[in-house]
Amino acid sequence: MSKAKVTIGQVFKTIIWPRKKLLFIGLILIVISRAAGLVPPWATKPFMDDILVKGDMEKLPMLLVMVTAAILVQAATSYLLTRILSVEAQHLISQLRSKVQKHLLRLPIRFFDNQKSGALVSRVMNDVEGVRNLVGTGLVQLIGGILTAIISVGFLININPWMTLFILLPMGIFGVVTLKAFAYIRPVFRERGKITAEVTGRLTETLNGVRVIKGFNAEPQEIKVFEAGVEKLFLNVKKSLTSTSLVTNLGTFLVGLASVGIMALSGHFKLTAGDFLQFTMFMVFMIAPIVQMSNIGSQLTEAFAGLDRTEELMNTPVEDDGTERTIQLGSVKGEIEFKNVSFSYEEGKPVLKNISFTAPAGSVTALVGTSGSGKTTIAGLAASFLNPETGTITIDGVDQSKISLDSYRSQLGVVLQDDFLFEGTIRENILFPRPNATHADLQMAVKAAFVNEFTDRFELGLDTVIGERGVKLSGGQRQRIAIARAILANPRILILDEATSNLDTESESYIQNSLKTLMQGRTTFVIAHRLSTIRQADQILVIEDGRIEERGKHEELIEKKGRYFELYTYQARI
Ligand code: ADP
C-alpha cells in the first residue's frame, strides 16, 4: 500500500464542507455558550467593587439573575452541541466503516494474501474513529476557544494594556512550542494504528490457530511475540503521552508564571480588588482555551493519522473498476482455454510457464502433480482470482481479462479444502450463494450432497446452528454442506480443491457420489487427490514445476509409463 498523507484541504472538502450547516449551527451554539461563559468573570468586578466594597445591594438581584441565566444557557447549548455534532460524528464513522469495508471486498485476492485479517479488521473499525474529533465537538470547541480567547484579550486590554502585553509573551512561546509538538506527534499516532493492527492481527491468528499452538507446545513463543507487540505499543503511547503532557504542563506553568507577574504588576498599576480579580478571571478564560487547544490539537492529529491510514487502503486499486472489464457475459457454454499462460507471484520467479490447454464445455479437468507444482495457481487463474502475466485465458472464446468480474463470477462456483462455513444454520450456509432459492431446489441440493443423511438426525434439521456457538461437524459433514451449496448455486464453471483429509469409507462414498452429481455437465477444474475423481476426468494435466508435463486420460497415461504412472504407483502403494 502506498503511503498517503491527507491534507487539511481534502478533509475540508470531503468531511467538513458537506456538513457546513450542522457545523455552522454548532459554531453559533459554541459562540452563545462561550459568551454566556464570559458573564461570571465579568460579574466579579461589580460584585467586588460595588456590592462588597461599596455595599450597593440594589445591584445584587440583577447580577444573580444574569449569572444564573448565563449558567443555564451554557448547560443548554453544551447539551445541544453534543446532540447535534457528536451524533453526526458517529453517523459519519459508521458511513466510513461501510465505505472502507466495501472497498476492501473489491480488492484482489493477492492483496489479502499479504495482509493479516485481524489487521484489516482494525483498519475498518478503528482507523476511522478519529473523525469523531473533526466533526464532533472537537473542531467547533477549538474555534469557540479561539473566539473566547480573542474576546478575553479585548477585555484584558480594556482593563490594562501593559499587563495584557506582559501575559501575551509567554502565550506566544507556548503557541510555537505546541505547533512544533504536534508536527512531532502526528507520525507517532500514525505508527500507533499500524502497531495496534499488527498486534490485534497476531492475536486473532493465535486464537484461530490455538490447536496448532498447543499441539506444538508453542505458547511461550506466542506469549513472547505478543509481549513484544504490546511493549511496542506501550512505547508508542508513552511517546505521545509524554509529549502531550509536556505541552499541557508547559501551558499550566506559563499561566502560573503570568499570574505571578500580574500580582507583581497589579501593585505598580494600582488596580482595584475587582479589577485584579476580573483581570485574573479573563486571563484564565484566555489561557484555558489555549491549553484546551493543545488537547484538541492532539485529537485532531490523531484523526488525521487515522485518515492517513484509511486513505492508504482506499488508494489501493480494486480488482475491477469497470473500465477494463467491460464485457458482460450472458449465459455461457463454459469452454475455457489457456493460451501460453505464464504467471509469477514475485517478479523474476515464474510459477507457471507457458501453459496451454482447452477445457471443453462440461468437461472435467483434473490437475495432478507434486505439491508446489502450480495446481492451485492454475485453478486461481481459471477462477479469475489471479490474472495471467502473459498469455490469455478465454471463456467461450472471450478474453477473460475483458469480462466484468461480477458477470464472470456469477457463472462460477468454488469448493475448497476446509471450506468456509460461517456461524449460522446449515440452511443459511447452503443458501448463501442463492438466498432466494426455492424450497424444492434446496431439498434437491441437500439430497444430492447427502446432507440430509446427518441433518435428519438433528432435532432442528437444516435449522441446526453450526459454528462456535453451535453443533460441531465432522470434516466430511462440512464438505457435504459445501458441496450442497455449490450444487444449489448451479454454476457453469466449477473449481474444486478436493480435501486431502482421510475420511471413513462411508463418508468417502457419500462425498464421491455427491461430487459426481456436482461435476455433471459443468466445466470443472479439480485439484484432485482421489483416484476415483481422477479416473473419471475427461483430461488429466500432470503439472511439474509450472509446466504441463503430461496430459491425457487415466488409461492412456498409465500405458505411457511416464510421470503420471510414477505418481500413480507411488500413491497406490501408500
Ligand atoms: P500446488 O497447488 O501445486 O501445491 P501452488 O500453485 O499453490 O502449488 O504453488 C506454486 C508455487 O507458487 C509454489 O512454489 C508456491 O510457493 C508459490 N506460491 C503460491 N502462492 C503464493 C503466493 N501467494 N505468493 C508467493 N508465492 C506463492
Side-chain angles (χ1 to χ4, degrees):
M1 280 184 284
S2 61
K3 278 228 161 160
K5 196 153 187 216
V6 176
T7 61
I8 294 179
Q10 280 168 316
V11 167
F12 187 79
K13 210 170 115 205
T14 56
I15 294 180
I16 312 271
W17 191 244
R19 290 172 183 74
K20 52 184 181 297
K21 274 194 196 140
L22 280 182
L23 288 169
F24 187 65
I25 294 173
L27 210 55
I28 291 178
L29 285 174
I30 204 106
V31 169
I32 296 174
S33 156
R34 294 300 166 111
L38 289 172
V39 173
W42 168 83
T44 49
K45 183 179 155 67
F47 182 71
M48 290 289 280
D49 291 352
D50 299 345
I51 297 168
L52 286 189
V53 177
K54 292 187 194 151
D56 185 356
M57 284 301 161
E58 267 173 32
K59 280 191 174 166
L60 188 59
M62 190 57 197
L63 212 57
L64 292 183
V65 168
M66 278 173 72
V67 173
T68 314
I71 300 170
L72 193 69
V73 168
Q74 259 191 308
T77 44
S78 179
Y79 167 75
L80 283 176
L81 263 179
T82 312
R83 243 335 264 278
I84 296 176
L85 291 183
S86 305
V87 169
E88 176 59 16
Q90 291 301 331
H91 186 211
L92 175 64
I93 289 174
S94 59
Q95 283 174 331
L96 277 179
R97 282 187 182 139
S98 299
K99 192 170 131 195
V100 177
Q101 188 256 14
K102 189 171 157 199
H103 186 83
L104 190 63
L105 282 189
R106 293 178 65 207
L107 296 180
I109 296 271
R110 293 287 305 278
F111 172 84
F112 296 92
D113 285 347
N114 303 322
Q115 297 281 331
K116 288 190 177 122
S117 48
L120 291 174
V121 169
S122 169
R123 278 285 159 95
V124 177
M125 296 307 288
N126 303 339
D127 283 356
V128 299
E129 283 257 358
V131 297
R132 192 182 58 229
N133 302 321
L134 284 173
V135 176
T137 48
L139 187 66
V140 174
Q141 296 272 14
L142 183 68
I143 298 174
I146 294 172
L147 281 179
T148 322
I150 293 172
I151 297 173
S152 298
V153 171
F155 275 104
L156 289 173
I157 292 177
N158 192 33
I159 302 172
N160 189 312
W162 291 111
M163 279 166 63
T164 311
L165 201 64
F166 176 80
I167 55 168
L168 282 180
L169 187 73
M171 289 309 114
I173 300 174
F174 179 62
V176 174
V177 172
T178 311
L179 283 181
K180 286 254 180 275
F182 289 133
Y184 168 76
I185 300 173
R186 183 167 173 180
V188 176
F189 275 125
R190 193 187 165 115
E191 187 69 10
R192 180 175 313 167
K194 288 226 160 85
I195 303 172
T196 313
E198 224 171 80
V199 176
T200 327
R202 181 70 184 220
L203 185 61
T204 319
E205 278 174 4
T206 307
L207 298 178
N208 285 341
V210 74
R211 280 185 180 74
V212 177
I213 289 164
K214 284 193 181 290
F216 284 106
N217 202 21
E219 293 98 322
Q221 167 66 16
E222 281 310 301
I223 291 168
K224 238 193 245 152
V225 172
F226 189 71
E227 262 172 8
V230 284
E231 171 77 11
K232 211 166 147 195
L233 192 59
F234 159 69
L235 290 176
N236 177 285
V237 176
K238 187 171 134 190
K239 229 185 206 172
S240 65
L241 206 60
T242 43
S243 34
T244 323
S245 162
L246 196 70
V247 172
T248 320
N249 288 303
L250 178 69
T252 318
F253 174 69
L254 289 174
V255 172
L257 212 59
S259 309
V260 174
I262 302 286
M263 272 190 216
L265 287 178
S266 60
H268 176 76
F269 286 109
K270 300 200 174 31
L271 296 190
T272 64
D275 276 339
F276 176 75
L277 205 61
Q278 203 182 34
F279 191 91
T280 317
M281 291 282 256
F282 274 121
M283 187 179 78
V284 171
F285 265 71
M286 182 195 81
I287 292 165
I290 300 180
V291 175
Q292 191 193 13
M293 262 154 56
S294 71
N295 271 327
I296 295 170
S298 80
Q299 285 174 14
L300 293 185
T301 313
E302 200 173 354
F304 271 89
L307 285 176
D308 284 349
R309 292 188 302 269
T310 306
E311 197 58 20
E312 250 171 42
L313 191 69
M314 295 303 288
N315 283 348
T316 312
V318 296
E319 55 178 344
D320 180 4
D321 61 4
T323 54
E324 300 276 314
R325 297 175 170 276
T326 47
I327 302 174
Q328 297 292 328
L329 277 187
S331 56
V332 294
K333 290 208 296 298
E335 183 186 87
I336 295 188
E337 190 179 354
F338 275 55
K339 287 183 207 159
N340 293 319
V341 172
S342 297
F343 180 84
S344 54
Y345 290 99
E346 291 155 41
E347 225 169 275
K349 284 191 198 158
V351 168
L352 295 184
K353 302 150 195 163
N354 268 320
I355 299 277
S356 295
F357 68 91
T358 304
S363 69
V364 175
T365 302
L367 302 165
V368 300
T370 45
S371 151
S373 57
K375 304 180 295 291
T376 310
T377 308
I378 294 180
L381 283 160
S384 71
F385 292 160
L386 306 168
N387 298 310
E389 206 164 84
T390 56
T392 45
I393 300 172
T394 60
I395 291 91
D396 291 355
V398 184
D399 186 349
Q400 190 203 47
S401 68
K402 301 279 187 295
I403 301 173
S404 124
L405 282 179
D406 273 350
S407 85
Y408 183 64
R409 291 192 186 145
S410 64
Q411 310 279 347
L412 186 76
V414 288
V415 178
L416 303 177
Q417 287 203 34
D418 256 342
D419 222 317
F420 161 75
L421 300 183
F422 53 85
E423 289 262 342
T425 64
I426 297 176
R427 183 191 303 277
E428 286 164 351
N429 267 288
I430 297 176
L431 279 176
F432 120 96
R434 250 182 78 192
N436 301 322
T438 63
H439 182 71
D441 283 349
L442 175 68
Q443 284 305 320
M444 186 273 297
V446 163
K447 283 216 174 69
F450 300 94
V451 168
N452 58 342
E453 184 273 328
F454 60 92
T455 53
D456 285 351
R457 277 179 274 140
F458 295 153
E459 202 181 317
L460 293 175
L462 287 179
D463 293 312
T464 307
V465 174
I466 54 173
E468 274 166 28
R469 271 164 291 160
V471 171
K472 310 285 177 293
L473 298 177
S474 74
Q477 290 168 336
R478 295 169 64 86
Q479 279 175 37
R480 276 183 265 166
I481 293 180
I483 293 170
R485 173 194 284 171
I487 292 176
L488 185 71
N490 193 21
R492 298 306 316 135
I493 302 156
L494 181 68
I495 312 289
L496 198 63
D497 191 353
E498 272 191 338
T500 41
S501 52
N502 286 322
L503 301 171
D504 56 276
T505 348
E506 196 189 335
S507 283
E508 182 66 46
S509 79
Y510 282 134
I511 286 178
Q512 269 183 32
N513 280 320
S514 52
L515 281 180
K516 210 167 165 180
T517 317
L518 175 61
M519 292 191 282
Q520 192 91 54
R522 308 179 208 282
T523 313
T524 304
F525 293 87
V526 51
I527 299 170
H529 300 291
R530 290 188 175 78
L531 267 179
S532 58
T533 315
I534 301 173
R535 280 192 153 149
Q536 285 165 25
D538 298 295
Q539 69 174 337
I540 299 165
L541 302 179
V542 183
I543 312 298
E544 207 56 60
D545 194 21
R547 295 177 209 281
I548 301 180
E549 184 86 7
E550 283 178 337
R551 62 181 89 199
K553 284 192 167 242
H554 175 74
E555 288 78 19
E556 294 164 12
L557 292 176
I558 289 291
E559 251 170 51
K560 206 170 157 193
K561 290 212 158 49
R563 181 74 185 125
Y564 179 79
F565 178 77
E566 265 174 43
L567 283 170
Y568 173 77
T569 43
Y570 176 64
Q571 208 180 44
R573 252 188 280 130
I574 45 173

